[in-house]
Amino acid sequence: MKLKTILLGAAAAFAMAPAAMAERGADGHVNVIYWQAPSILNPYLSGGTKDIESSSIILEPLGRYDPDGNLVPFLATEIPTVENGGVSEDLTSITWKIKPDLLWSDGTPLTSEDVVFTAEYCMDPQGGCAQLSKFNGIKTVEAVDDLTVKVTFATPQPNPYGAFMGGQSPILQKAQFKDCTGGRAAECTEANFNPIGTGPFVVDEFKPNDVISLSANPNYRDAAKPAFATMTFKGGGDATAAGRAVLETGEFDYAWNLQLAPEVLEQMAQGGKGETVAAFGTLVERIEMNLTDPSPDLPPETRATVDAPHPILSDLNVRKALSMAIDREILVEIGYGQAGRPTCNLVPAPEMYASPNKECIPQDIEGAKALLDEAGWTDTDGDGIRDKDGKKLSLLFQSSTNAVRQNFQDAIKAWWGEIGVETELRNVSASVFFGGDPGSPDTFQKFYADVEMYANNFDGTDPQAYLAQYRCGNEPKPSSQWQGENINRFCDPAYDAMLDELAKTGELDKRGEIAKKLNEMLTKDTYTIVPLVDRGRVSAHSNTLGGVALNTWDSELWNVADWYRIKE
């Protein structure tokens, strides 16, 4: 089957609403807690999930993915397909039709010029767009008329649903951001903190790394929505406090990403105030290997850039040995229980894209030692730490502050100690670590450490844009305000060539084969990325919050307009 065949019927009608929706704002106030606090409300300037998802309450794309991975229209009248004429027969263009009479929250009309501007904003080479891979292959974006946008690709695109689809690629208002392009993007604090959107809520006040106060958008397209008049989006704390606030005390209505040990969740659920919701998608906890030198002794323009190769981790045998020393099954047991599965894949789903590779799962301490011996890393002075050419095999291992992650760090440090690797641990507040502040030394993008651990996933069910993040030149660097998706600074022309092949391949089976090869080039062939756990998404909502539909293929808050209060 070819993907073009799928495109003939890609659109799926989808609507969610309570049986008896009252008037807008009738259900009062709703409290949401994300223990990783948002630091910006512009997803084009941050790769952090907490920033992307908080922004999705305000900013919307032309289309989204529903909980089953189907494409559904939001600001568009329908999902363009070959069948309805929205995707050209030769797959070189996609034409979007915007719903008529849509208004921004300030009362001005949404037009195709806003969509065109959004593409120009992200594709500006000086802007450091965090979602640039969504726009790969685009030749032009043009306004055909006020409500029609045509995207033309340089080559046929079997999967044309990158730009403007999902929470990672929403539409920005041209009038608000027109002076915020290129190198000025990060300087526009007012726009980045208080974006004008088309979503169900508007920002009343934003305190970065703390709290967002929101109210119902008076110009939202459905007069009966949202059911809630106001929202408090609280950030910070930890997963334990967030879980208790919903499941035990009932102080909050929704808690995101309860990254907690299974026995902790079970105990909290006995509080009776709420329930957990869980689903598997593409979320993978992994270790990222820094292929560049993060030493503070280097000048700022060189530190952690491709101009300075890593003195230890440039050696494949070292990276592989570090992976072999890890017991992934124990990590699942201590961290996730039934909500986790050991994995060797960066792309664990859908099944057609997931490599069958499982060779990383059995721990092999002796094999890891032998690899390090082969690479010339030996303990010459008997202190238990290997060295080579006078340099100790010593690594700085960073992650975000979270009990499960710190447990993982402790376990991995012990395993690495068994093979003669000295490890220094550091954890950073999640609000800072996943933020996009180019001035902070502690973001995961800047990567001022040797290895780091976190998890993320991709919108939708096709991994093309996700795998394209690792293209040469897409790494964070000073010239891009430290934005970029290629966190490891990986570069392989053969990988880039295979990405180009994937982009023009329409046969689904062949797309699956290529995606698996790309996944393996990053994981088992180079150990640039060391996957650990295929994580189920676990969140919680109060017993009185209705309309929640956990979505692992898009923002968890994708349908917040449909939430309502269940009367007790």
Side-chain angles (χ1 to χ4, degrees):
M1 181 183 291
K2 292 186 176 181
L3 189 60
K4 183 174 177 180
T5 306
I6 301 299
L7 294 178
L8 292 174
F14 191 88
M16 290 196 63
M21 175 67 78
E23 64 183 20
R24 176 181 294 154
D27 285 350
H29 189 75
V30 63
N31 289 307
V32 174
I33 185 166
Y34 270 47
W35 56 271
Q36 294 179 11
S39 55
I40 194 170
L41 294 177
N42 180 352
Y44 291 110
L45 296 183
S46 176
T49 303
K50 43 93 175 183
D51 297 324
I52 294 168
E53 300 211 349
S54 57
S55 301
S56 73
I57 303 172
I58 307 141
L59 300 170
E60 297 180 304
L62 297 181
R64 284 198 181 281
Y65 300 92
D66 73 12
D68 294 320
N70 299 310
L71 289 72
V72 292
F74 257 62
L75 299 181
T77 58
E78 62 183 357
I79 296 297
T81 65
V82 173
E83 184 181 51
N84 62 30
V87 175
S88 64
E89 288 282 347
D90 63 2
L91 307 181
T92 60
S93 70
I94 181 171
T95 300
W96 292 91
K97 298 282 189 179
I98 302 170
K99 291 177 180 177
D101 305 319
L102 293 180
L103 298 177
W104 292 102
S105 59
D106 65 359
T108 59
L110 169 73
T111 74
S112 55
E113 290 296 334
D114 295 301
V115 182
V116 172
F117 170 78
T118 299
E120 294 172 345
Y121 177 91
C122 186
M123 295 172 70
D124 190 309
Q126 301 302 314
C129 181
Q131 312 300 338
L132 187 59
S133 63
K134 291 280 189 178
F135 295 81
N136 276 354
I138 290 179
K139 183 179 179 182
T140 60
V141 181
E142 55 187 317
V144 178
D145 57 42
D146 283 351
L147 298 178
T148 308
V149 178
K150 182 179 181 181
V151 179
T152 302
F153 302 102
T155 58
Q157 294 292 310
N159 177 34
Y161 306 113
F164 318 128
M165 274 294 303
Q168 296 176 357
S169 189
I171 310 305
L172 300 179
Q173 188 192 57
K174 179 179 180 179
Q176 184 180 32
F177 284 88
K178 60 183 172 61
D179 296 324
C180 301
T181 56
R184 294 166 295 179
E187 301 170 4
C188 291
T189 303
E190 174 60 28
N192 293 330
F193 286 5
N194 297 280
I196 295 168
T198 57
F201 290 91
V202 298
V203 180
D204 294 326
E205 183 181 18
F206 175 41
K207 297 179 180 179
N209 301 320
D210 185 8
V211 65
I212 316 170
S213 299
L214 306 106
S215 57
N217 178 359
N219 292 302
Y220 189 62
R221 56 188 172 275
D222 188 327
K225 297 178 182 180
F228 293 104
T230 54
M231 173 190 289
T232 295
F233 189 110
K234 183 70 178 77
D238 56 38
T240 301
R244 285 174 177 161
V246 171
L247 298 172
E248 293 183 355
T249 69
E251 180 184 359
F252 280 81
D253 294 294
Y254 191 86
W256 162 85
N257 187 24
L258 296 184
Q259 192 177 0
L260 297 166
E263 63 271 15
V264 174
L265 281 173
E266 290 174 11
Q267 183 176 358
M268 285 183 181
Q270 295 174 11
K273 296 291 186 179
E275 62 180 88
T276 57
V277 285
F280 279 94
T282 59
L283 186 66
V284 172
E285 191 78 17
R286 85 289 296 270
I287 288 176
E288 302 273 354
M289 301 285 181
N290 195 342
L291 300 182
T292 63
D293 191 350
S295 171
D297 296 333
L298 294 172
E301 65 272 15
T302 304
R303 183 183 184 188
T305 71
V306 293
D307 292 328
H310 199 286
I312 297 173
L313 295 177
S314 294
D315 188 331
L316 169 60
N317 279 354
V318 174
R319 301 195 301 271
K320 184 174 182 179
L322 294 173
S323 175
M324 292 169 66
I326 296 171
D327 191 327
R328 290 160 175 80
E329 292 178 329
I330 286 182
L331 293 181
V332 169
E333 182 180 339
I334 66 175
Y336 299 101
Q338 294 299 310
R341 302 181 287 219
T343 187
C344 304
N345 288 327
L346 176 65
V347 178
E351 184 177 358
M352 66 171 294
Y353 296 114
S355 168
N357 172 40
K358 296 184 185 299
E359 69 179 43
C360 79
I361 293 178
Q363 184 187 44
D364 186 358
I365 293 291
E366 295 307 314
K369 290 178 180 178
L371 267 185
L372 293 176
D373 288 340
E374 180 183 333
W377 291 93
T378 58
D379 181 11
T380 58
D381 56 12
D383 65 353
I385 308 301
R386 293 174 182 264
D387 54 84
K388 180 180 180 181
D389 299 330
K391 186 174 184 61
K392 289 290 186 183
L393 185 42
S394 180
L395 303 174
L396 174 59
F397 179 10
Q398 71 176 11
S399 189
S400 63
T401 305
N402 170 268
V404 171
R405 287 201 168 120
Q406 272 66 82
N407 286 342
F408 276 27
Q409 284 184 299
D410 289 340
I412 292 169
K413 176 180 178 176
W415 290 323
W416 286 352
E418 290 184 45
I419 63 172
V421 178
E422 180 179 50
T423 308
E424 177 187 350
L425 302 180
R426 178 170 71 187
N427 66 80
V428 180
S429 166
S431 300
V432 175
F433 187 71
F434 293 113
D437 182 0
S440 172
D442 296 320
T443 65
F444 80 105
Q445 299 102 322
K446 193 162 281 187
F447 208 167
Y448 281 175
D450 300 300
V451 296
E452 63 185 9
M453 180 175 61
Y454 62 88
N456 67 14
N457 62 323
F458 56 90
D459 280 350
T461 57
D462 190 291
Q464 179 177 321
Y466 191 58
L467 291 165
Q469 293 179 356
Y470 300 93
R471 188 181 288 275
C472 297
N474 196 32
E475 72 280 353
K477 47 190 173 289
S479 62
S480 66
Q481 291 77 52
W482 292 103
Q483 292 297 332
E485 302 155 301
N486 185 349
I487 303 301
N488 317 81
R489 288 64 160 157
F490 172 82
C491 182
D492 183 348
Y495 184 89
D496 289 2
M498 196 170 293
L499 281 174
D500 294 338
E501 186 69 20
L502 177 63
K504 64 185 182 183
T505 299
E507 186 74 33
L508 280 175
D509 288 345
K510 290 182 179 178
R511 284 182 66 81
E513 290 173 8
I514 295 171
K516 290 174 184 177
K517 289 178 182 177
L518 288 165
N519 169 85
E520 291 175 357
M521 288 178 76
L522 294 169
T523 55
K524 79 168 189 174
D525 293 348
T526 67
Y527 295 87
T528 300
I529 298 171
V530 176
L532 302 174
V533 180
D534 176 11
R535 284 176 46 192
R537 190 84 65 87
V538 181
S539 294
H541 65 82
S542 69
N543 293 331
T544 64
L545 183 63
V548 174
L550 184 64
N551 192 339
T552 62
W553 308 110
D554 205 322
S555 168
E556 280 197 26
L557 305 176
W558 74 289
N559 76 323
V560 68
D562 299 320
W563 289 7
Y564 62 98
R565 184 67 66 198
I566 298 172
K567 309 304 180 184
E568 293 184 295

